[in-house]
């Protein structure tokens, strides 16, 4: 059975009725940890999470199914309680991005964790490290790879059987390496790039990483070693950018490598082009000058490859982009529950992950009951109009029809009420919570995906708060240019819409508040 699809196993018990092992996840708030925890729960493990700030796990859908312990891997005195009655430790902590001394922080944390694990009698440590070239001495590696290698060595020397899984670029929404690839490719149709774009890399899909991490908990006790893990493709960074562009349906990128851009200079260039923090981007860029290819596939002895094989680069990218391409609202701003696949973005992912998402936000306090304000909101569009700058809406509709779009001609099914799936001019009702939320998805021709969300919240018997958010997920450079090209008109269009909706509700005084094309 594929562990990615495993359901909860008899409330955490094995087939003979014995409790499943208890696992401690250090790094549950991170990219891999946040995706691994629900899989461990689904496989029947009892899960404890170690966090410096347990409150960061409070909103996770699985928070009520795990035990959360406050602790800090750099403070040995906080670890004994967390390690008590634990069988397996998943160590998914890395100090990358915390400052120049991240190597020393990683070293101290690994030493403290190794000693605590040994003292508590753990039977297994599982660590996700970085794939490094074997022919390069550890001391000559980049700080990022050197630190990953040192942490793995410390844990292997701890006296507790340790499995270090060493991965290169992980392909999945939220992975720092993947996000850097995403932003560089989407924002630059023509790139003058450093020579490291010719370096060969063996990327791996996040689904395969999680599958192997899950299997590592059950390794035989005599197995204590490093394993190289990678996908089926070996590609240069240049090839990854070209194939990402194809998967994202972008025009083919022109990539011109030049030898003058050193890793230090190119990390500054990456910082200008992408929102990935420089404290993360620079160490990653410095590591790209090394060829990182698996030299062995020994992990397959203990975690057999699925019949369908490892996930290739193109499929991994497709999975990472699927949620947005299918016009499902990005979980970063939606109130959606936990996504259904490890490739999907999580609400706990960093703000810079998941691709660009532009937002225009408006909020007004309205001197009218929520019910009256909602009637105005639900009456938007069609013959009723869009409450602001009618000429701009008419021009936008005409432009849409010129390029083969639907324009404003569809109108609406009913002048007063809406339901999910209704067409509304060049929008579609994607979500509707009666009296509270109306979310529209744009069906006009755009270089990206757009949504308009209107929310009404009661603030007493005669007052309500109106919130309005216009969001745009750009597609390629044209999408970014489009957003900034129309941004000067947002105050008139979206600002005017918010003000006029509020004023219409305040003037209605309990009468039928069907709007007009204000």
């Amino acid at each position: 059975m594929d562990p990615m699809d495993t359901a909860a196993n008899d409330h955490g018990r094995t087939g003979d009725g014995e409790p499943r092992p208890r696992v401690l996840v250090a790094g549950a708030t991170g990219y891999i940890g946040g995706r691994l925890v629900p899989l461990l729960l689904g496989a029947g493990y009892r899960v404890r999470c170690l966090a410096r700030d347990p409150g960061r796990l409070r909103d996770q859908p699985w928070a009520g199914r795990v035990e959360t312990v406050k602790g800090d891997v750099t403070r040995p005195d906080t670890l004994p309680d967390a390690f008590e009655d634990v069988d397996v430790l998943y160590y998914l902590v890395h100090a990358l991005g915390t400052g120049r001394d991240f190597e020393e922080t990683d070293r101290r944390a690994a030493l403290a964790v190794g000693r605590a694990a040994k003292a508590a009698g753990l039977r297994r440590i599982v660590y996700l490290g970085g794939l490094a070239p074997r022919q390069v001495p550890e001391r000559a590696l980049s700080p990022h790879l050197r630190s990953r290698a040192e942490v793995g060595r410390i844990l292997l020397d701890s006296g507790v059987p340790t499995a270090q899984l060493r991965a290169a670029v992980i392909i999945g929404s939220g992975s720092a390496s993947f996000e850097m690839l995403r932003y560089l490719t989407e924002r630059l149709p023509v790139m003058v790039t450093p020579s490291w774009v010719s370096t060969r890399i063996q990327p791996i899909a996040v689904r395969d990483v999680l599958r192997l991490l899950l299997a590592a908990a059950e390794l035989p006790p005599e197995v204590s070693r490093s394993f190289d893990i990678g996908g089926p493709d070996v590609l240069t960074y240049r090839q990854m950018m070209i194939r990402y562009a194809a998967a994202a349906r972008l025009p083919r990128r022109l990539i011109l490598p030049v030898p003058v851009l050193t890793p230090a200079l190119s990390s500054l260039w990456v910082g200008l082009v992408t929102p990935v923090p420089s404290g993360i981007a620079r160490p990653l860029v410095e590591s790209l000058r090394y060829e990182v290819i698996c030299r062995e596939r020994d992990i397959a002895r203990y975690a057999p490859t699925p019949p369908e094989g490892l996930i290739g680069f193109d499929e991994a990218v497709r999975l990472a982009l699927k949620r947005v391409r299918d016009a499902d609202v990005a979980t970063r701003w939606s109130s959606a529950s936990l996504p259904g696949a490890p490739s999907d973005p999580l609400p706990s992912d960093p703000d810079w992950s998941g691709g660009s998402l532009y937002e225009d936000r408006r909020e007004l306090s309205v001197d009218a009951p929520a019910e009256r304000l909602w009637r105005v909101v639900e009456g938007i569009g069609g013959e009723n109009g869009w409450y602001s700058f009618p000429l701009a809406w008419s021009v936008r509709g005409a432009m849409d029809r010129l390029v083969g779009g639907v324009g404003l001609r569809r109108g609406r099914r009913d002048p007063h009420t809406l339901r999910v799936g209704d067409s509304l001019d060049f929008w579609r009702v994607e979500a509707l919570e009666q009296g509270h939320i109306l979310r529209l998805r744009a069906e006009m021709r755009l270089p990206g995906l757009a949504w308009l969300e209107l929310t009404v919240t009661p603030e007493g018997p005669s007052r309500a708060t109106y919130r309005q958010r216009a969001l745009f997920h750009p597609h390629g450079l044209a999408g970014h240019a489009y957003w900034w090209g129309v941004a000067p008109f947002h105050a008139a269009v979206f600002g005017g819409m918010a003000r006029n909706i509020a004023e219409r509700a305040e003037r209605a005084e309990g009468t039928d508040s069907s709007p007009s094309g204000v």
Side-chain angles (χ1 to χ4, degrees), residues 159-220:
V160 177
T162 296
Q164 178 186 200
L165 306 188
R166 309 191 325 157
V169 172
I170 297 176
I171 304 299
S173 182
S175 160
S177 295
F178 176 75
E179 295 300 338
M180 196 166 72
L181 174 70
R182 180 208 301 264
Y183 287 115
L184 287 174
T185 308
E186 291 194 350
R187 294 187 175 186
L188 297 175
V190 179
M191 289 176 270
V192 177
T193 58
S195 58
W196 50 252
V197 298
S198 298
T199 301
R200 294 198 306 161
I201 299 167
Q202 191 163 356
I204 182 170
V206 65
R207 292 189 183 205
D208 281 328
V209 173
L210 293 168
R211 176 179 59 83
L212 295 172
L213 284 171
L214 199 62
E218 301 297 336
L219 287 171

Side-chain angles (χ1 to χ4, degrees), residues 6-20 41-45:
T6 304
N9 185 6
D10 192 25
H11 303 288
R13 294 185 177 272
T14 62
D16 57 7
E18 291 297 317
R20 292 299 300 268
L41 291 168
Y45 289 98

Side-chain angles (χ1 to χ4, degrees), residues 108-442:
R108 288 191 294 107
L111 287 168
V113 164
R115 291 170 185 146
K118 178 66 173 176
L122 268 67
R123 67 170 179 82
R124 166 72 55 195
I125 296 173
V126 181
Y127 169 59
L128 180 61
L131 187 60
R134 295 186 185 276
Q135 67 274 19
V136 179
E138 185 177 308
R139 63 181 181 278
L141 294 172
S142 68
H144 164 239
L145 289 180
R146 186 169 61 231
S147 180
R148 288 290 179 103
E150 183 181 24
V151 169
R153 179 164 42 79
I154 290 172
L155 296 176
L156 284 164
D157 292 343
S158 67
V160 177
T162 296
Q164 178 186 200
L165 306 188
R166 309 191 325 157
V169 172
I170 297 176
I171 304 299
S173 182
S175 160
S177 295
F178 176 75
E179 295 300 338
M180 196 166 72
L181 174 70
R182 180 208 301 264
Y183 287 115
L184 287 174
T185 308
E186 291 194 350
R187 294 187 175 186
L188 297 175
V190 179
M191 289 176 270
V192 177
T193 58
S195 58
W196 50 252
V197 298
S198 298
T199 301
R200 294 198 306 161
I201 299 167
Q202 191 163 356
I204 182 170
V206 65
R207 292 189 183 205
D208 281 328
V209 173
L210 293 168
R211 176 179 59 83
L212 295 172
L213 284 171
L214 199 62
E218 301 297 336
L219 287 171
E222 66 273 13
V223 176
S224 186
R225 53 164 291 185
S226 294
F227 294 95
D228 291 355
I229 62 172
D233 301 307
V234 176
L235 304 166
T236 65
Y237 205 87
R238 179 179 185 274
Q239 289 172 323
M240 288 199 295
M241 288 191 283
I242 291 172
R243 289 168 69 162
Y244 177 96
R249 302 174 187 171
L250 296 167
R252 183 179 174 86
R253 274 25 196 165
L254 180 60
I255 301 170
L256 307 172
V258 294
V260 295
L261 283 176
T262 65
L265 287 174
S266 58
S267 66
L268 297 175
W269 166 69
V270 170
L272 288 173
V273 175
T274 80
V276 179
S278 60
I280 295 176
R282 179 162 185 164
L284 291 178
V285 168
E286 290 175 345
S287 300
L288 288 174
R289 66 179 185 267
Y290 303 104
E291 182 174 275
V292 282
I293 300 172
C294 296
R295 300 303 178 189
E296 44 84 8
R297 293 250 187 206
D298 295 349
I299 191 66
R301 299 177 192 169
Y302 308 98
T305 301
E308 65 274 16
L310 299 171
I311 298 172
F313 177 83
D314 296 334
E315 175 66 6
V317 172
R318 188 191 68 79
L319 290 168
L321 299 179
K322 183 176 185 296
R323 294 282 288 195
V324 172
R325 181 186 297 155
D326 289 351
D328 202 354
V329 179
T331 55
R332 290 218 315 267
W333 63 273
S334 147
S335 57
S337 60
L338 183 71
S343 308
D344 295 338
L346 292 182
S348 56
D349 287 343
D351 291 341
W352 45 262
S353 68
S356 300
L357 188 65
Y358 292 118
E359 178 179 21
D360 182 277
R361 182 190 294 263
R362 311 280 168 170
E363 180 174 326
L364 293 172
S365 179
V366 182
D367 189 16
E371 296 81 2
R372 192 192 310 168
L373 176 58
W374 177 255
R375 286 199 299 272
V376 178
V377 168
E378 194 175 12
I380 199 168
E383 295 297 324
N384 298 327
W386 288 85
Y387 297 106
S388 69
F389 209 162
L391 177 61
W393 287 101
S394 298
V395 170
R396 185 64 185 87
M399 292 173 59
D400 193 54
R401 292 186 64 180
L402 283 175
V403 295
V406 296
L408 295 173
R409 60 187 173 185
R410 294 190 306 188
R412 52 180 293 159
R413 174 188 56 83
D414 182 277
H416 305 304
T417 62
L418 293 171
R419 60 190 179 195
V420 173
D422 276 358
S423 59
L424 187 59
D425 296 330
F426 43 42
W427 301 86
R428 176 81 58 181
V429 179
E430 183 174 81
L432 177 66
E433 185 179 329
Q434 195 59 232
H436 181 43
I437 295 176
L438 171 63
R439 183 183 301 146
L440 307 174
R441 185 182 75 241

Side-chain angles (χ1 to χ4, degrees), residues 36 94 271 438 465 518:
L36 180 63
H94 191 36
L438 171 63
T465 297
V518 178

